[in-house]
Amino acid sequence: MVTFAEREERACELGDALTRRLLEEHLAADESADPGEQVACPICGRPVLCESPQEVEMEQRRVQTRRGPVEFERAARHCHHCRRVFFPRG
Ligand SMILES: [Zn+2]
């Protein structure tokens, strides 16, 4: 026998999984994930150059959302002026 609460719980789990998948697809399609040769440093605003962005290894990021953990990739950049590594917005 399946109770209403069990049906609701199962429906919520499926809804959460769908939400996480949609979020991951949306994050993967974001152009700022791998920004190309030049991007502005979010701290000082100076242009940060990257001569061969296609060779930069993407880093796996994980964020805890209200619907569970979501994973996505981002290319890190290093601002020599600030001496900081950052991930372009998005
Ligand atoms: Zn900077």
Side-chain angles (χ1 to χ4, degrees), residues 41 43-46 79 81-82:
C41 170
I43 300 161
C44 67
R46 288 179 169 85
C79 177
H81 180 79
C82 299

Side-chain angles (χ1 to χ4, degrees), residues 45-56:
R46 288 179 169 85
V48 174
L49 296 172
C50 180
E51 286 179 11
S52 39
Q54 65 278 5
E55 287 170 22
V56 175

Side-chain angles (χ1 to χ4, degrees), residues 21-57:
R21 204 182 79 206
L22 290 172
L23 256 174
E24 286 177 343
E25 284 178 8
H26 203 262
L27 286 161
D30 192 328
E31 286 178 6
S32 63
D34 195 9
E37 289 184 9
Q38 185 175 313
V39 66
C41 170
I43 300 161
C44 67
R46 288 179 169 85
V48 174
L49 296 172
C50 180
E51 286 179 11
S52 39
Q54 65 278 5
E55 287 170 22
V56 175
E57 210 169 295

